[in-house]
Amino acid sequence: MNLRSQVLRGGVYLAIRQGMGMVISLVGVLLLTRAIGPQQYGLYTAAFGLFYYLQNVSQLGITVYLVRREGEEKSTVYHQAFTLLLLVSLIGVVLSQLAVPLLAGWVNLKGFQPIFQVLSLSLPVVLLSQVPMARLERQLDYKQVAWIEFVGQIAYFLVALPIAFQGGGAWGPAAGWWVQQLHLLVLFFWADRYQPRLCWQPDLVKQMLAYSVGYSASFWVWQLRSLVNPLLVGRLLGAEAVAYIALASRMVELLGFVKSATYRLSIATLARLQGDRYRMMQAITEGMALQVLALGPFLVIVSWLGPWFLPLLFGAKWSPVMHIYPFIALSLLANALFNLHSSALYALKRNWEITLYHIIHITLFFVVALLLIPRLGLIGYGWAEVATILSYGLIHSFLVRDVSSPDYSFAGLLAVAFGLALFPYQLGWWVVIGVAIALLLPNTQHKLIELWKNFRSVKNAS
């Protein structure tokens, strides 16, 4: 199987798994939010948002290093990564527990402290599963990765929902998270047959960190996005506003399952094209169009139908979610045009260029959010999301300088058509015309047929 076929098949495996996961999550989140309500869901979201940032910082980019490193497979490398992640996770647990009073004082949400403490204790479980998962992803064995993650997702809701319906509030999803991570830890080690050993080789640690610190720095900056909701919205608007934004973001994230799959796959794929800039640029051009095409229709359909169906499914108290949804969806759609740029630059080890781009992106987000949230409420957060689109000009300029310019004509047309179509209640229903034209283009039909053929090949192979 050539690289392109292997990549497409791996991408389809991930997309199928995440598509199935989307259905499970939509049903699960529907039941969960109805059971615990906006206030408790906002409380859990605020605590999890801060823990999620801690988790990403603690990974130090080691997982990506394991996937992208060049050369032959060496057990020592994985043993050293396991040891380093174990050490960092224990330090992270201690520091997070010490920081709880400060965080609780800033967020100022009743019940925040114990939820955050319990979540932070899961850090070693989360980080140690990254080593066997990286081994599987390096081999492009996304079929096993996909099914393991699917089982973990089911385990989450099997625990979270009963507790929620028994009046456990935010403790339902917190317990579900713990069980999910334990499942992932056990299953990844079982699937990869990896047997960890403690190891400490200073030269190897230095080599890992020399690569990963640059990557980690940019990633840490980018993940500051997850702190805007708990730290700014939570403090300025309260737990229910946090819940509305969290649910809208969750909906957008679930609908973007194909985008997530293709970006994840690109980490391993573009690393293999480092020496061929022409093929790398072809991959980015094709990937942009596939991501926008796979993402746009789902986002648009929910934007059109959501104001009618969301109150029926989640309850009338969740109606404000659709006020903020189109803005968050537009932000993700714009990101679909440019996230492969970052992956290519990471593969070329241009980590500090990406860090600068992330700094500009996050600065725009925080500053506009801080200025507009007190004045416009939820919509102020939405305009802050839209403002971050300006930062993509910088990542484009870096890609042009280091590689070349991708062809935006087709992907850009799709993005504009779908982006406008997210706002029919604000702009008018004439936006439907743009979507119809985009979907009827011959190039669009060709891409859809290609996706269907790869889906069928995976289905037949299974």
Side-chain angles (χ1 to χ4, degrees):
M1 187 184 300
N2 61 36
L3 178 60
R4 187 175 187 274
S5 298
Q6 191 176 6
V7 167
L8 285 172
R9 179 163 294 190
V12 172
Y13 271 127
L14 279 179
I16 291 173
R17 200 291 298 170
Q18 293 191 1
M20 294 170 62
M22 178 186 72
V23 176
I24 297 294
S25 288
L26 284 175
V27 175
V29 170
L30 166 63
L31 296 173
L32 185 64
T33 52
R34 287 188 72 97
I36 67 178
Q39 199 278 333
Q40 285 294 305
Y41 189 68
L43 172 62
Y44 170 75
T45 299
F48 183 79
L50 291 168
F51 167 73
Y52 184 69
Y53 185 73
L54 170 66
Q55 169 192 326
N56 286 314
V57 169
S58 301
Q59 287 181 7
L60 295 177
I62 292 174
T63 304
V64 175
Y65 169 82
L66 294 176
V67 174
R68 290 180 173 174
R69 63 179 294 271
E70 300 178 21
E72 60 180 320
E73 293 285 297
K74 293 182 179 180
S75 298
T76 306
V77 174
Y78 294 103
H79 297 331
Q80 181 59 76
F82 177 88
T83 304
L84 190 56
L85 287 173
L86 176 61
L87 177 62
V88 171
S89 67
L90 295 176
I91 294 173
V93 168
V94 172
L95 293 179
S96 64
Q97 298 298 317
L98 293 175
V100 165
L102 178 63
L103 293 173
W106 173 267
V107 174
N108 196 29
L109 297 177
K110 184 180 179 181
F112 167 86
Q113 182 168 330
I115 297 292
F116 178 77
Q117 287 177 312
V118 167
L119 290 175
S120 65
L121 290 174
S122 71
L123 188 61
V125 179
V126 175
L127 294 191
L128 295 183
S129 67
Q130 300 299 303
V131 177
M133 185 186 74
R135 284 165 56 96
L136 292 172
E137 292 198 1
R138 183 175 173 83
Q139 300 161 20
L140 297 180
D141 189 1
Y142 286 96
K143 183 176 181 180
Q144 290 219 67
V145 173
W147 284 109
I148 289 171
E149 292 180 342
F150 183 67
V151 171
Q153 186 178 34
I154 293 176
Y156 171 86
F157 286 112
L158 287 178
V159 173
L161 290 175
I163 295 175
F165 277 104
Q166 292 174 10
W171 286 108
W177 167 259
W178 253 100
V179 171
Q180 179 186 30
Q181 298 311 308
L182 288 171
H183 270 76
L184 294 179
L185 179 69
V186 172
L187 292 177
F188 274 128
F189 273 94
W190 172 81
D192 187 56
R193 302 295 190 270
Y194 172 60
Q195 299 179 359
R197 297 176 184 173
L198 295 179
C199 170
W200 193 261
Q201 296 187 10
D203 291 340
L204 186 52
V205 172
K206 183 178 179 180
Q207 179 183 334
M208 283 184 179
L209 295 181
Y211 172 85
S212 63
V213 165
Y215 172 84
S216 299
S218 65
F219 197 62
W220 295 341
V221 175
W222 181 259
Q223 289 301 322
L224 287 171
R225 285 186 121 267
S226 65
L227 301 184
V228 174
N229 194 20
L231 293 183
L232 291 185
V233 177
R235 184 173 179 85
L236 296 173
L237 301 179
E240 290 193 354
V242 172
Y244 298 143
I245 292 173
L247 183 56
S249 299
R250 182 64 173 158
M251 290 166 59
V252 169
E253 175 189 336
L254 292 174
L255 294 170
F257 65 93
V258 174
K259 171 182 171 294
S260 301
T262 53
Y263 177 76
R264 184 170 173 181
L265 191 63
S266 73
I267 292 176
T269 306
L270 292 177
R272 299 189 180 193
L273 300 178
Q274 294 178 55
D276 191 337
R277 303 298 173 87
Y278 176 73
R279 289 182 66 199
M280 178 179 284
M281 195 49 52
Q282 281 187 314
I284 293 173
T285 298
E286 183 177 6
M288 288 191 306
L290 288 173
Q291 288 200 111
V292 174
L293 185 58
L295 177 64
F298 292 108
L299 296 177
V300 168
I301 289 172
V302 171
S303 187
W304 292 355
L305 302 181
W308 299 338
F309 286 100
L310 187 135
L312 295 176
L313 295 174
F314 290 85
K317 57 189 175 184
W318 288 97
S319 295
V321 169
M322 292 310 301
H323 299 163
I324 190 66
Y325 169 86
F327 296 93
I328 299 175
L330 178 61
S331 178
L332 184 70
L333 190 63
N335 182 261
L337 274 176
F338 295 95
N339 67 344
L340 294 182
H341 295 43
S342 297
S343 189
L345 292 173
Y346 277 134
L348 297 172
K349 299 180 174 59
R350 303 295 195 270
N351 295 334
W352 295 110
E353 292 180 356
I354 304 174
T355 301
L356 177 59
Y357 147 65
H358 286 172
I359 290 172
I360 300 301
H361 183 100
I362 296 302
T363 300
L364 280 170
F365 196 14
F366 267 89
V367 171
V368 176
L370 189 60
L371 291 174
L372 296 186
I373 288 175
R375 295 171 174 81
L376 303 178
L378 287 176
I379 301 303
Y381 178 92
W383 282 112
E385 286 273 14
V386 174
T388 62
I389 296 175
L390 297 173
S391 67
Y392 294 128
L394 184 61
I395 196 70
H396 165 76
S397 67
F398 287 147
L399 187 70
V400 170
R401 186 182 68 185
D402 295 329
V403 187
S404 182
S405 176
D407 183 357
Y408 291 98
S409 57
F410 178 54
L413 177 62
L414 291 175
V416 171
F418 289 129
L420 290 174
L422 291 169
F423 296 90
Y425 299 99
Q426 295 86 353
L427 301 177
W429 285 96
W430 62 267
V431 296
V432 176
I433 298 174
V435 173
I437 293 173
L439 291 177
L440 291 174
L441 290 173
N443 206 358
T444 303
Q445 299 298 313
H446 173 74
K447 296 293 184 185
L448 290 173
I449 292 172
E450 184 179 21
L451 283 172
W452 174 249
K453 287 182 177 178
N454 281 285
F455 169 78
R456 289 295 299 272
S457 68
V458 169
K459 183 179 179 182
N460 294 334
S462 300

